[in-house]
Amino acid sequence: MPSGHETARPGPWMAFWRGVVRFQSDKLDPKLAMRNTIGVTLPLVIGAATGSMAGGLIASSGALNVAFRDNQSPYPERGRHLLQASVIAGLAVFLGSLCGNSHWMAVMLATAWAFAAGMLVALGQAPGDLGTMSLVMLCVYSGVPLPLHQAALSGLAAFGGGLLQTGLAVALWPLGRYAPERRALGALFSTLAGTATSPPADAGQALPATAQSNQAQTTLAALAREETVESERFQMLLSQAERIRMSLFTLARLRIRIERDRPAAGELEILDRTFELPARILQALGEALTSGRTPADHSEECRELDELADQLRALNTASPSLEAKLDDARRQIDALVGQLRSAIDLASNATPAGSTEFARRESKKHWTLQWRGTIATLRANLNVESAAFRHVVRLAVSIAAGDALAMNLGLSRSYWIAMTIALVLKPDFGSTFSRGVLRLGGTLGGVVFATGLFHALPQSLWVQIATIAALMFVLRWIGGANYGIFAVAVTALVVYLLALKGTVTPGDAMRARAINTMIGGAIALIAYAAWPTWERHQVADAMAQMLDKFRAYFHELDGSYRRNDPYAAALDRARVAGRLARTNLEASIERAMGEPGISAERVSLLKAMLASSHRLAYALLALEAGIAGSSWAPPRDAFGPFARDVELTLYHLASALRGSRIEASALPDLREDHHALIHSSDSQTDRYALVNVETDRITNSLNTLSGEILNWIGRDSIPGIR
């Protein structure tokens, strides 16, 4: 827990500058850098050896742009994305070169392309990056006008370079087909081991292993399209990891409650041991999945966990309340042992050494439904209230303005203006201004660095190619960790590529690059300053979306409770959707707190709302885990009104965040509902006792969150919230 003398959170401008200089070491990836370097350098080597340097440069540029879409995602998804990027790169080179013969046609094409590329941010980061890459390619090659047949050949050369990069990225697919999936699951299990070693003590904190669970969900999403035994096995491993996560979380909460009853009791020693053993197993599973080795036998640890559950079962206490908590803990240990045994068996067969047949559960969603969802998302963002649409307008107008300015000033190499605008301009304040600062500073640094290299190194063709290879490796290895390093490396790299082309001297290239980048960066920053999209105005919608997902999760939880079906697939999907929405809210709040002009009171309120959302998530997860581990009992009549009013409260709060007016009578009195619930039957019944406790937490967290939301939207209080 933070101490009372904890250092105050930095102000928005300090947070902004920290983002500028931040170095993300977790993004260092030398293997990816090496294969991307080979993809960019090999066409140059072939071009130099065959005397076809022009074709080699175009293929190399295609490989360079496709390289920015390369990552460590699963091979099918990686190959599909890189192939799409290769096609778009070839098309951008072809259309850019063809339309470059008419300046006004090039401007209109770039503006239209910018609008389409900008809309892709509404579909996610990966589509947005693809749109930016294609826009950059189009802008660069619009400055190299060619006749039809040469433009077509250039497009094919760029496509070929992209295919080369794609081939290198998926070359190890036959040898390690599911390596990315195993790594993601391995990271999740290893993080769960840390959770077992140090369980969370504060329900206001973010739930442990959230980032790793989200990453595993994203990585394994592509497997839903595969009709294979391995796909089923990895999905089941992920499901077991989710249930282990909930069991550990519930045990940690139970331990805290038991310690409050009997702080020196021997029962705590048993519970502490129940965390040590799963931690050992989970760490071993994480290492085995990451390395691809078959995990060791853990039957002894599982047997000891069974004995610990029996010890709890044999204890006699004089306190009915403590007895109920110990029974809950024993059931959670029983469930945890089963989950661990299943995970061990699945992990043994998820490595290359083993294979076990499993049945498929359900088929993939039809592709027509996927396209309908995509089109619906894009259509929903075609309004000025959408951050994506505002970004689209800023981007298209800025590209058109940059092209028009370059034409009027007669600037050489003016495509750097449009390229800089595309790279700097982002939907949010932090990314746009931090990238703007780093892009401008990095460009100047890159020009100086390239100048020094030209003077220090021999100016032979092969030395230049070797320098390009070194710059590309640094760009892809370290550039992802800090955008300033990226800007320096990419500036020096492009200057060297232009020097290889031979149509412009290095000095001219560097001057043009510096001047046009400054102009493009200034246009991007001015456009954002003139019509900003403040994240603090978007955070309410992110909160509303999270409440909608929580309402859907609670609805499925209510249904599974009534049907006595704690393992329903719909419940799993609703839980994952709720967690993703909460993660999105965390990111939105983080961006909002880094904006200038937001008051300390608003920052404090945002942090309080986030903590309340964590407490609500904890309560919902504990209710699900407790229902799954307790003996069945029919829901009490009073549970129906409580469940209905929880959903109603979540609905009204989400509506209020979207601008609807809340009347005092609209929010139900959850405390009164809970009072009726706990007095409706014998509270010592296992399931009823658990439901009483967790619904009390739901009531507290929702009432607190209600007050905070009403403060955020400008209504300080409302009767009935206590």
Side-chain angles (χ1 to χ4, degrees), residues 329-349:
R330 187 258 307 162
R331 282 189 291 270
Q332 288 300 326
I333 295 172
D334 288 339
L336 180 60
V337 174
Q339 293 154 1
L340 289 170
R341 286 195 174 106
S342 178
I344 293 168
D345 180 61
L346 288 164
S348 299
N349 295 309

Side-chain angles (χ1 to χ4, degrees), residues 36 39-40 57-69 133 137 158 161-162 165 472 475-476 490 493-494 497:
N36 289 170
V40 169
L57 274 170
I58 295 174
S60 180
S61 66
L64 172 63
N65 282 273
V66 171
F68 293 122
R69 291 287 290 119
M133 180 277 296
M137 290 285 284
Q165 197 66 270
M472 182 64 191
L475 174 66
R476 292 299 286 148
V490 78
L493 175 65
V494 172
L497 286 172

Side-chain angles (χ1 to χ4, degrees), residues 93-104:
V93 169
F94 169 67
L95 292 177
S97 299
L98 188 62
C99 293
N101 294 288
S102 169
H103 187 84
W104 288 111

Side-chain angles (χ1 to χ4, degrees), residues 548-588:
D548 286 339
K549 298 301 182 183
F550 277 12
R551 179 163 57 90
Y553 176 33
F554 183 79
H555 181 80
E556 294 296 338
L557 185 56
D558 178 26
S560 70
Y561 178 24
R562 296 177 186 279
R563 299 188 306 269
N564 193 31
D565 182 17
Y567 302 109
L571 184 58
D572 283 338
R573 290 192 294 270
R575 183 190 338 106
V576 169
R579 183 175 63 237
L580 179 60
R582 185 167 48 83
T583 303
N584 291 339
L585 173 64
E586 291 173 356
S588 179

Side-chain angles (χ1 to χ4, degrees), residues 189-218:
F189 276 96
S190 295
T191 306
L192 289 176
T195 300
T197 304
S198 302
D202 183 4
Q205 298 175 348
L207 275 73
T210 294
Q212 291 78 11
S213 182
N214 285 341
Q215 181 59 47
Q217 294 282 351
T218 301

